Amino acid sequence: MNPSPPYLLDQSRRWTPNQLFWIVRNGVKMTGMPAWGLTQSDAEVWNLVAFLEAMPDLAPADYQKMRTELPPPAPKGA
């Protein structure tokens, strides 16, 4: 992506949860950070904020385990 989206790994230390919610929901103009509020509910955006806050302390093995335990995504329109 050009320009590059913000590096999210350390953003939970820079922004408050409310600020992260706004950034994720609305995107960042003139960057590669899209507005997720167009396709995700507010509850889903808050889930992403919670994940961003947990991410700096998440061990790689724990992240892999989370990925394998996720159910497959629902088909569009389901």
Side-chain angles (χ1 to χ4, degrees):
M1 292 185 195
N2 192 8
S4 298
Y7 182 66
L8 293 178
L9 184 58
D10 60 356
Q11 293 307 303
S12 65
R13 293 183 174 115
R14 180 176 178 193
W15 305 105
T16 67
N18 286 340
Q19 290 170 323
L20 284 171
F21 176 85
W22 193 95
I23 291 167
V24 171
R25 188 171 192 278
N26 297 295
V28 179
K29 290 184 181 188
M30 307 299 287
T31 73
M33 177 66 195
W36 288 37
L38 300 172
T39 59
Q40 306 298 310
S41 70
D42 283 356
E44 291 169 317
V45 173
W46 278 116
N47 286 341
L48 183 54
V49 170
F51 176 73
L52 289 172
E53 290 190 306
M55 209 164 112
D57 300 318
L58 192 61
D62 292 335
Y63 175 75
Q64 274 301 359
K65 184 179 179 198
M66 286 171 54
R67 288 200 56 193
T68 60
E69 291 175 354
L70 287 174
K76 290 281 186 191

